[in-house]
Coordinates of all heavy atoms in Angstrom, one line a residue:
M1 N -108.7 31.2 -59.7 CA -108.8 31.0 -58.2 C -107.5 31.4 -57.5 O -106.4 31.0 -57.9 CB -109.1 29.5 -58.0 CG -109.3 29.1 -56.5 SD -109.6 27.3 -56.4 CE -108.6 27.0 -55.0
S2 N -107.7 32.2 -56.5 CA -106.5 32.6 -55.8 C -106.1 31.6 -54.7 O -106.9 31.1 -53.9 CB -106.8 34.0 -55.1 OG -105.8 34.4 -54.3
T3 N -104.8 31.4 -54.7 CA -104.2 30.5 -53.6 C -103.5 31.2 -52.6 O -102.9 30.6 -51.7 CB -103.4 29.4 -54.3 OG1 -102.4 30.0 -55.0 CG2 -104.2 28.4 -55.1
G4 N -103.4 32.6 -52.8 CA -102.6 33.4 -51.8 C -103.2 33.3 -50.4 O -104.5 33.4 -50.3
H5 N -102.4 33.2 -49.4 CA -103.0 33.2 -48.1 C -103.1 34.6 -47.5 O -102.4 35.5 -47.9 CB -102.1 32.3 -47.1 CG -100.9 33.0 -46.7 ND1 -99.8 33.1 -47.6 CD2 -100.5 33.5 -45.6 CE1 -98.8 33.7 -46.9 NE2 -99.2 34.0 -45.7
I6 N -104.0 34.7 -46.5 CA -104.2 36.0 -45.9 C -103.2 36.1 -44.7 O -103.2 35.3 -43.8 CB -105.7 36.2 -45.4 CG1 -106.7 36.1 -46.6 CG2 -105.9 37.5 -44.6 CD1 -108.1 35.8 -46.2
R7 N -102.4 37.1 -44.7 CA -101.4 37.3 -43.7 C -102.0 37.6 -42.4 O -102.9 38.5 -42.3 CB -100.4 38.3 -44.1 CG -99.5 37.9 -45.2 CD -98.5 39.0 -45.5 NE -97.5 39.2 -44.4 CZ -96.9 40.3 -44.1 NH1 -97.2 41.4 -44.8 NH2 -96.0 40.3 -43.2
N8 N -101.6 36.9 -41.3 CA -102.1 37.2 -40.0 C -101.2 38.2 -39.3 O -100.2 37.9 -38.8 CB -102.3 36.0 -39.2 CG -102.8 36.2 -37.8 OD1 -103.2 37.4 -37.5 ND2 -102.7 35.2 -36.9
T9 N -101.6 39.5 -39.4 CA -100.7 40.6 -38.9 C -101.3 41.2 -37.6 O -100.9 42.3 -37.2 CB -100.5 41.7 -39.9 OG1 -101.8 42.2 -40.3 CG2 -99.7 41.2 -41.2
H10 N -102.2 40.5 -37.0 CA -102.9 41.0 -35.9 C -102.0 41.4 -34.7 O -102.0 42.5 -34.2 CB -104.0 40.1 -35.4 CG -104.7 40.6 -34.2 ND1 -105.7 41.7 -34.3 CD2 -104.6 40.4 -32.9 CE1 -106.1 42.0 -33.1 NE2 -105.5 41.2 -32.2
A11 N -101.1 40.4 -34.4 CA -100.2 40.7 -33.2 C -99.3 41.9 -33.6 O -99.0 42.7 -32.7 CB -99.4 39.4 -33.0
M12 N -98.9 42.0 -34.8 CA -97.9 43.0 -35.2 C -98.6 44.4 -35.1 O -98.1 45.3 -34.5 CB -97.5 42.8 -36.6 CG -96.3 43.6 -37.1 SD -95.6 42.9 -38.6 CE -96.8 43.4 -39.8
S13 N -99.9 44.5 -35.6 CA -100.6 45.8 -35.6 C -101.1 46.1 -34.2 O -101.5 47.2 -34.0 CB -101.7 45.8 -36.7 OG -102.5 44.7 -36.5
A14 N -101.2 45.1 -33.3 CA -101.8 45.3 -32.0 C -100.7 45.9 -31.1 O -101.0 46.3 -30.0 CB -102.3 44.0 -31.4
S15 N -99.4 45.9 -31.5 CA -98.4 46.4 -30.6 C -98.5 47.9 -30.5 O -99.1 48.6 -31.4 CB -97.0 46.1 -31.2 OG -96.8 46.8 -32.4
P16 N -98.1 48.5 -29.3 CA -98.2 49.9 -29.2 C -97.5 50.7 -30.3 O -96.4 50.3 -30.7 CB -97.5 50.2 -27.8 CG -97.3 48.9 -27.2 CD -97.3 47.8 -28.3
R17 N -98.2 51.7 -30.7 CA -97.7 52.5 -31.8 C -97.2 53.9 -31.4 O -97.7 54.4 -30.4 CB -98.9 52.7 -32.9 CG -99.3 51.4 -33.5 CD -98.4 51.0 -34.6 NE -98.1 49.5 -34.5 CZ -97.4 48.9 -35.4 NH1 -96.9 49.5 -36.4 NH2 -97.1 47.6 -35.2
C18 N -96.3 54.4 -32.2 CA -95.8 55.8 -31.9 C -96.9 56.8 -32.2 O -97.6 56.7 -33.2 CB -94.6 56.1 -32.7 SG -94.0 57.7 -32.6
G19 N -97.1 57.8 -31.3 CA -98.2 58.7 -31.5 C -97.7 60.1 -31.9 O -98.4 61.1 -31.9
A20 N -96.4 60.2 -32.3 CA -95.8 61.5 -32.6 C -96.5 62.0 -33.9 O -96.8 61.2 -34.8 CB -94.3 61.3 -32.9
R21 N -96.7 63.3 -34.0 CA -97.4 63.9 -35.1 C -96.3 64.1 -36.2 O -95.2 64.7 -35.9 CB -98.0 65.2 -34.7 CG -98.5 66.0 -35.9 CD -100.0 66.3 -36.0 NE -100.5 66.9 -34.8 CZ -101.7 66.5 -34.2 NH1 -102.3 65.5 -34.7 NH2 -102.1 67.1 -33.2
T22 N -96.6 63.6 -37.4 CA -95.6 63.8 -38.5 C -95.8 65.1 -39.2 O -96.8 65.8 -39.0 CB -95.7 62.6 -39.5 OG1 -97.0 62.7 -40.1 CG2 -95.5 61.3 -38.8
R23 N -94.9 65.4 -40.1 CA -95.1 66.6 -40.9 C -96.4 66.6 -41.8 O -96.9 67.6 -42.1 CB -93.9 66.9 -41.8 CG -92.7 67.5 -41.0 CD -91.6 67.8 -41.9 NE -90.7 66.6 -42.1 CZ -89.7 66.6 -42.9 NH1 -89.3 67.7 -43.6 NH2 -88.9 65.5 -43.0
G24 N -96.8 65.4 -42.1 CA -98.1 65.2 -42.8 C -99.3 65.5 -42.0 O -100.4 65.5 -42.6
G25 N -99.1 65.6 -40.7 CA -100.3 65.9 -39.8 C -100.9 64.7 -39.2 O -101.8 64.8 -38.4
F26 N -100.4 63.5 -39.5 CA -100.9 62.3 -39.0 C -100.0 61.7 -37.9 O -98.8 62.1 -37.8 CB -101.1 61.2 -40.1 CG -101.9 61.7 -41.2 CD1 -101.3 62.1 -42.4 CD2 -103.3 61.8 -41.1 CE1 -102.1 62.5 -43.5 CE2 -104.1 62.3 -42.2 CZ -103.5 62.6 -43.4
A27 N -100.5 60.8 -37.1 CA -99.7 60.1 -36.1 C -98.7 59.2 -36.9 O -99.0 58.7 -37.9 CB -100.5 59.3 -35.2
C28 N -97.5 59.1 -36.3 CA -96.4 58.4 -36.9 C -96.8 56.9 -37.1 O -96.6 56.4 -38.2 CB -95.1 58.5 -36.0 SG -93.8 57.3 -36.4
S29 N -97.3 56.3 -36.1 CA -97.8 54.9 -36.1 C -96.7 53.8 -36.4 O -97.0 52.7 -36.6 CB -99.0 54.7 -37.0 OG -98.6 54.7 -38.4
A30 N -95.4 54.2 -36.3 CA -94.4 53.2 -36.3 C -94.4 52.5 -35.0 O -94.9 53.0 -34.0 CB -93.0 53.8 -36.5
P31 N -94.0 51.2 -34.9 CA -94.0 50.5 -33.6 C -93.2 51.3 -32.5 O -92.1 51.7 -32.7 CB -93.4 49.2 -33.8 CG -92.8 49.2 -35.1 CD -93.4 50.4 -35.9
A32 N -93.9 51.5 -31.3 CA -93.2 52.2 -30.2 C -92.1 51.3 -29.6 O -92.3 50.0 -29.6 CB -94.2 52.6 -29.2
I33 N -91.1 51.9 -29.1 CA -90.0 51.1 -28.4 C -90.7 50.5 -27.1 O -91.5 51.1 -26.5 CB -88.9 52.1 -28.0 CG1 -88.2 52.6 -29.3 CG2 -87.9 51.4 -27.1 CD1 -87.5 51.6 -30.2
R34 N -90.3 49.3 -26.8 CA -90.8 48.6 -25.6 C -90.7 49.4 -24.4 O -89.6 50.0 -24.1 CB -90.1 47.3 -25.4 CG -90.8 46.3 -24.5 CD -90.0 45.1 -24.3 NE -89.2 44.7 -25.4 CZ -88.3 43.7 -25.5 NH1 -88.1 43.0 -24.4 NH2 -87.7 43.4 -26.6
G35 N -91.8 49.6 -23.7 CA -91.7 50.4 -22.4 C -91.8 51.9 -22.7 O -91.8 52.7 -21.7
K36 N -91.9 52.3 -23.9 CA -92.0 53.7 -24.2 C -93.2 54.0 -25.1 O -93.8 53.0 -25.6 CB -90.7 54.2 -24.9 CG -89.5 54.1 -24.0 CD -88.4 55.1 -24.4 CE -87.2 55.0 -23.4 NZ -86.2 55.9 -23.8
F37 N -93.5 55.2 -25.3 CA -94.7 55.6 -26.1 C -94.3 56.1 -27.5 O -95.2 56.5 -28.3 CB -95.6 56.6 -25.4 CG -96.1 56.0 -24.1 CD1 -95.5 56.3 -22.9 CD2 -97.2 55.1 -24.2 CE1 -96.0 55.8 -21.7 CE2 -97.7 54.6 -23.0 CZ -97.1 54.9 -21.8
R38 N -93.0 56.2 -27.8 CA -92.6 56.7 -29.1 C -91.7 55.7 -29.8 O -91.0 54.9 -29.1 CB -91.9 58.1 -28.9 CG -92.8 59.2 -28.4 CD -93.7 59.6 -29.5 NE -94.6 60.7 -29.1 CZ -95.9 60.6 -28.7 NH1 -96.4 59.4 -28.7 NH2 -96.6 61.6 -28.4
C39 N -91.6 55.9 -31.1 CA -90.7 55.0 -31.9 C -89.3 55.5 -31.8 O -89.0 56.5 -31.2 CB -91.2 55.0 -33.3 SG -90.8 56.5 -34.2
R40 N -88.4 54.7 -32.4 CA -87.0 55.0 -32.3 C -86.6 56.3 -32.9 O -85.5 56.9 -32.5 CB -86.1 53.9 -32.9 CG -86.3 53.7 -34.4 CD -85.9 52.4 -34.9 NE -86.2 52.3 -36.3 CZ -85.5 52.8 -37.3 NH1 -84.4 53.3 -37.1 NH2 -85.9 52.6 -38.6
M41 N -87.4 56.9 -33.8 CA -87.1 58.1 -34.4 C -87.7 59.3 -33.7 O -87.4 60.5 -34.0 CB -87.5 58.1 -35.9 CG -86.7 57.2 -36.7 SD -87.4 57.0 -38.4 CE -88.8 56.0 -38.1
H42 N -88.7 59.0 -32.8 CA -89.4 60.2 -32.2 C -89.2 60.2 -30.7 O -90.1 60.3 -29.9 CB -90.9 60.1 -32.5 CG -91.2 60.4 -34.0 ND1 -91.9 59.6 -34.8 CD2 -90.8 61.5 -34.7 CE1 -91.9 60.1 -36.0 NE2 -91.3 61.3 -36.0
G43 N -88.0 60.0 -30.2 CA -87.7 60.1 -28.8 C -87.7 58.8 -28.0 O -87.6 58.9 -26.8
G44 N -87.9 57.7 -28.7 CA -88.0 56.4 -28.0 C -86.6 55.8 -27.9 O -86.5 54.7 -27.3
A45 N -85.6 56.3 -28.6 CA -84.3 55.7 -28.7 C -83.7 55.6 -27.4 O -83.9 56.4 -26.5 CB -83.4 56.5 -29.7
R46 N -82.8 54.6 -27.3 CA -82.1 54.4 -26.0 C -81.2 55.6 -25.7 O -80.6 56.2 -26.6 CB -81.1 53.2 -26.3 CG -80.3 52.7 -25.1 CD -79.4 51.6 -25.5 NE -80.1 50.3 -25.6 CZ -80.2 49.5 -24.6 NH1 -79.7 49.8 -23.4 NH2 -80.9 48.4 -24.7
G47 N -81.3 56.0 -24.4 CA -80.5 57.2 -24.0 C -81.2 58.5 -24.2 O -80.7 59.5 -23.8
S48 N -82.3 58.5 -24.8 CA -83.0 59.8 -25.0 C -84.0 60.0 -23.9 O -84.4 59.1 -23.2 CB -83.8 59.8 -26.3 OG -84.8 58.8 -26.4
G49 N -84.4 61.2 -23.7 CA -85.4 61.6 -22.6 C -84.7 62.0 -21.4 O -83.5 62.1 -21.3
A50 N -85.6 62.4 -20.4 CA -85.1 62.9 -19.1 C -84.5 61.9 -18.3 O -84.8 60.7 -18.4 CB -86.3 63.6 -18.4
P51 N -83.5 62.2 -17.4 CA -83.0 61.2 -16.5 C -84.0 60.7 -15.5 O -85.0 61.4 -15.2 CB -81.9 62.0 -15.7 CG -82.2 63.4 -15.9 CD -83.0 63.6 -17.2
R52 N -83.8 59.5 -15.0 CA -84.8 58.8 -14.1 C -84.8 59.6 -12.8 O -83.8 60.1 -12.4 CB -84.5 57.4 -13.9 CG -84.7 56.5 -15.2 CD -85.5 55.3 -14.9 NE -85.8 54.5 -16.1 CZ -87.0 54.5 -16.6 NH1 -88.0 55.2 -16.0 NH2 -87.2 53.9 -17.7
G53 N -85.9 59.5 -12.1 CA -86.0 60.1 -10.8 C -86.3 61.6 -10.8 O -86.3 62.2 -11.9
N54 N -86.5 62.2 -9.7 CA -86.8 63.6 -9.6 C -85.7 64.2 -8.6 O -85.9 64.2 -7.4 CB -88.2 63.8 -9.0 CG -88.5 65.2 -8.9 OD1 -87.8 66.1 -9.2 ND2 -89.7 65.5 -8.3
R55 N -84.7 64.7 -9.2 CA -83.6 65.3 -8.4 C -84.0 66.6 -7.7 O -83.4 67.0 -6.8 CB -82.4 65.6 -9.3 CG -81.5 64.3 -9.4 CD -80.2 64.6 -10.1 NE -80.2 63.9 -11.4 CZ -79.5 64.3 -12.4 NH1 -78.8 65.5 -12.4 NH2 -79.5 63.6 -13.5
N56 N -85.1 67.2 -8.2 CA -85.6 68.5 -7.6 C -86.2 68.2 -6.3 O -86.4 69.1 -5.4 CB -86.6 69.1 -8.5 CG -86.0 69.6 -9.8 OD1 -84.8 70.0 -9.8 ND2 -86.7 69.6 -10.9
A57 N -86.6 66.9 -6.0 CA -87.2 66.5 -4.8 C -86.2 66.0 -3.8 O -86.6 65.7 -2.7 CB -88.3 65.5 -5.0
E58 N -85.0 66.0 -4.1 CA -84.0 65.5 -3.2 C -83.9 66.5 -2.0 O -83.9 67.7 -2.1 CB -82.6 65.4 -3.9 CG -82.4 64.1 -4.5 CD -81.0 63.9 -5.1 OE1 -80.1 64.7 -4.9 OE2 -80.9 63.0 -5.9
T59 N -83.7 65.9 -0.8 CA -83.6 66.7 0.4 C -82.2 66.6 1.0 O -81.4 65.7 0.7 CB -84.6 66.3 1.5 OG1 -84.4 64.9 1.7 CG2 -86.0 66.5 1.0
H60 N -81.8 67.6 1.8 CA -80.5 67.6 2.4 C -80.4 67.0 3.8 O -79.3 66.8 4.3 CB -80.0 69.1 2.5 CG -81.0 70.0 3.0 ND1 -81.5 69.9 4.3 CD2 -81.7 71.0 2.4 CE1 -82.4 70.9 4.4 NE2 -82.6 71.5 3.3
G61 N -81.5 66.6 4.4 CA -81.5 65.9 5.6 C -81.3 66.7 6.8 O -81.2 66.2 7.9
A62 N -81.3 68.0 6.7 CA -81.1 68.9 7.9 C -82.3 68.9 8.8 O -82.1 69.2 10.0 CB -80.8 70.3 7.4
F63 N -83.5 68.5 8.3 CA -84.7 68.6 9.2 C -85.2 67.2 9.5 O -86.4 67.1 9.7 CB -85.7 69.5 8.5 CG -85.2 71.0 8.5 CD1 -84.7 71.5 7.4 CD2 -85.3 71.7 9.7 CE1 -84.3 72.8 7.4 CE2 -84.9 73.0 9.7 CZ -84.3 73.6 8.6
T64 N -84.4 66.2 9.4 CA -84.8 64.9 9.9 C -84.9 64.9 11.4 O -84.3 65.8 12.0 CB -83.8 63.8 9.4 OG1 -82.5 64.1 10.0 CG2 -83.7 63.7 7.9
Q65 N -85.6 64.0 12.0 CA -85.7 63.9 13.4 C -84.3 63.8 14.0 O -84.0 64.5 15.0 CB -86.4 62.6 13.8 CG -87.9 62.6 13.5 CD -88.7 63.7 14.3 OE1 -88.6 63.8 15.5 NE2 -89.3 64.6 13.6
E66 N -83.4 63.1 13.4 CA -82.0 62.9 13.8 C -81.3 64.3 13.8 O -80.6 64.6 14.8 CB -81.3 61.9 12.9 CG -80.1 61.2 13.5 CD -79.6 60.1 12.5 OE1 -80.4 59.4 12.0 OE2 -78.4 60.1 12.3
G67 N -81.4 65.0 12.7 CA -80.7 66.3 12.6 C -81.2 67.3 13.6 O -80.4 68.0 14.2
I68 N -82.5 67.3 13.8 CA -83.1 68.3 14.8 C -82.6 67.9 16.2 O -82.2 68.8 17.0 CB -84.6 68.2 14.7 CG1 -85.1 68.8 13.4 CG2 -85.3 69.0 15.9 CD1 -86.5 68.5 13.1
A69 N -82.6 66.6 16.6 CA -82.2 66.1 17.9 C -80.7 66.4 18.1 O -80.3 66.8 19.2 CB -82.4 64.6 18.0
E70 N -79.9 66.3 17.1 CA -78.5 66.6 17.2 C -78.2 68.1 17.5 O -77.4 68.4 18.4 CB -77.8 66.2 15.9 CG -76.2 66.2 16.0 CD -75.6 65.9 14.7 OE1 -76.0 64.9 14.0 OE2 -74.6 66.6 14.3
R71 N -78.9 68.9 16.8 CA -78.8 70.4 17.1 C -79.3 70.8 18.5 O -78.7 71.6 19.1 CB -79.5 71.2 16.0 CG -78.8 71.1 14.6 CD -79.3 72.2 13.7 NE -80.7 72.1 13.4 CZ -81.2 71.3 12.5 NH1 -80.5 70.5 11.8 NH2 -82.5 71.2 12.3
R72 N -80.3 70.1 18.9 CA -80.9 70.4 20.2 C -79.8 70.0 21.3 O -79.6 70.7 22.2 CB -82.2 69.6 20.4 CG -82.9 69.9 21.8 CD -84.2 69.1 21.9 NE -85.2 69.6 20.9 CZ -85.9 68.8 20.2 NH1 -85.8 67.5 20.3 NH2 -86.8 69.3 19.4
A73 N -79.2 68.8 21.1 CA -78.2 68.4 22.0 C -77.0 69.3 22.1 O -76.5 69.6 23.2 CB -77.7 67.0 21.6
I74 N -76.6 69.8 20.9 CA -75.4 70.8 20.9 C -75.8 72.1 21.6 O -75.0 72.6 22.4 CB -75.0 71.0 19.4 CG1 -74.4 69.7 18.8 CG2 -74.1 72.2 19.3 CD1 -74.2 69.7 17.3
R75 N -77.0 72.5 21.4 CA -77.5 73.8 22.0 C -77.5 73.6 23.5 O -77.1 74.5 24.3 CB -78.9 74.2 21.5 CG -78.8 75.0 20.2 CD -80.1 75.7 20.0 NE -81.3 74.9 20.1 CZ -81.8 74.2 19.0 NH1 -81.1 74.3 17.9 NH2 -82.8 73.4 19.1
A76 N -77.9 72.4 24.0 CA -78.0 72.1 25.5 C -76.6 72.1 26.0 O -76.3 72.7 27.1 CB -78.7 70.8 25.7
L77 N -75.7 71.5 25.3 CA -74.2 71.5 25.7 C -73.7 72.9 25.9 O -73.0 73.2 26.9 CB -73.4 70.6 24.7 CG -72.0 70.3 25.1 CD1 -72.0 69.3 26.3 CD2 -71.3 69.6 23.9
I78 N -73.9 73.7 24.9 CA -73.4 75.1 24.9 C -74.0 75.9 26.0 O -73.3 76.6 26.8 CB -73.7 75.8 23.5 CG1 -72.8 75.2 22.4 CG2 -73.5 77.3 23.6 CD1 -73.3 75.5 21.0
S79 N -75.3 75.7 26.2 CA -76.0 76.3 27.3 C -75.5 75.9 28.7 O -75.2 76.8 29.5 CB -77.5 76.0 27.2 OG -78.2 76.5 28.3
D80 N -75.2 74.7 28.8 CA -74.6 74.2 30.1 C -73.2 74.8 30.3 O -72.9 75.2 31.4 CB -74.4 72.6 30.0 CG -75.8 71.9 30.2 OD1 -76.8 72.6 30.5 OD2 -75.8 70.7 30.0
A81 N -72.4 74.8 29.2 CA -71.1 75.4 29.3 C -71.1 76.9 29.7 O -70.3 77.3 30.5 CB -70.4 75.2 28.0
E82 N -72.1 77.6 29.1 CA -72.2 79.0 29.4 C -72.6 79.2 30.9 O -72.1 80.1 31.6 CB -73.3 79.7 28.5 CG -72.7 80.0 27.1 CD -73.8 80.4 26.1 OE1 -75.0 80.3 26.4 OE2 -73.4 80.9 25.0
T83 N -73.5 78.4 31.4 CA -74.0 78.4 32.8 C -72.8 78.2 33.7 O -72.6 78.9 34.7 CB -75.1 77.4 33.0 OG1 -76.1 77.5 32.1 CG2 -75.6 77.5 34.4
L84 N -72.0 77.2 33.4 CA -70.8 76.8 34.2 C -69.8 78.0 34.2 O -69.3 78.4 35.3 CB -70.2 75.6 33.6 CG -69.0 75.0 34.4 CD1 -69.5 74.5 35.8 CD2 -68.4 73.8 33.6
L85 N -69.6 78.6 33.0 CA -68.6 79.7 32.9 C -69.1 80.9 33.7 O -68.3 81.5 34.4 CB -68.4 80.1 31.4 CG -67.5 79.1 30.6 CD1 -67.6 79.5 29.1 CD2 -66.1 79.1 31.1
A86 N -70.4 81.2 33.6 CA -70.9 82.3 34.4 C -70.8 82.1 35.9 O -70.4 83.0 36.6 CB -72.4 82.5 34.0
K87 N -70.9 80.8 36.3 CA -70.8 80.5 37.7 C -69.4 80.6 38.2 O -69.1 81.2 39.3 CB -71.3 79.0 37.9 CG -71.6 78.6 39.3 CD -72.1 77.2 39.3 CE -72.3 76.7 40.7 NZ -72.7 75.3 40.7
I88 N -68.4 80.2 37.3 CA -67.0 80.3 37.7 C -66.6 81.8 37.8 O -65.9 82.2 38.7 CB -66.2 79.6 36.6 CG1 -66.3 78.1 36.8 CG2 -64.7 79.9 36.7 CD1 -65.9 77.3 35.5
A89 N -67.1 82.6 36.8 CA -66.8 84.0 36.7 C -67.3 84.8 37.9 O -66.7 85.7 38.4 CB -67.3 84.6 35.4
S90 N -68.5 84.4 38.4 CA -69.1 85.1 39.5 C -68.5 84.7 40.9 O -68.7 85.5 41.9 CB -70.6 84.8 39.5 OG -70.8 83.5 39.9
D91 N -67.7 83.7 40.9 CA -67.1 83.3 42.2 C -66.0 84.2 42.6 O -65.3 84.7 41.8 CB -66.6 81.8 42.1 CG -67.8 80.8 42.2 OD1 -68.9 81.2 42.5 OD2 -67.6 79.6 41.9
Ligands
ZN101 ZN1 -92.6 57.8 -34.4

């Protein structure tokens, strides 16, 4: 008669697994790093992967409402100055 108990490994095997393809052709299936989809050996390690955010989407702010209004005000000022100078010159 066996007295050995059956190990309850459900919680362990239910954790997300690494899906990286190994050289054997199967999925790695080692536990994935928390918050990632790969194990520590397949790109899940701390410090690995692309930097956070999308720097390609960063804008320079030249076409914000504020930027456009500022350039419009400068152009109006230059226009006024030119008008005044022309008036002075014609006198
Ligand atoms: Zn892996």
Side-chain angles (χ1 to χ4, degrees):
M1 180 181 140
S2 173
T3 54
H5 75 284
I6 297 159
R7 291 182 68 208
N8 179 8
T9 57
H10 180 74
M12 196 164 75
S13 55
S15 67
R17 296 281 135 175
C18 175
R21 172 115 57 223
T22 63
R23 280 184 276 177
F26 305 103
C28 166
S29 77
I33 296 295
R34 196 185 324 174
K36 298 204 176 181
F37 296 100
R38 291 291 182 259
C39 74
R40 65 197 173 85
M41 289 173 286
H42 291 126
R46 183 183 281 271
S48 63
R52 292 227 173 256
N54 181 2
R55 273 188 247 152
N56 294 327
E58 270 180 17
T59 57
H60 44 66
F63 293 99
T64 58
Q65 290 296 307
E66 205 174 312
I68 292 165
E70 190 181 317
R71 288 196 298 279
R72 185 177 293 136
I74 290 166
R75 277 199 304 276
L77 189 68
I78 290 166
S79 178
D80 286 353
E82 280 171 351
T83 307
L84 186 65
L85 286 170
K87 197 174 174 187
I88 290 163
S90 68
D91 284 349

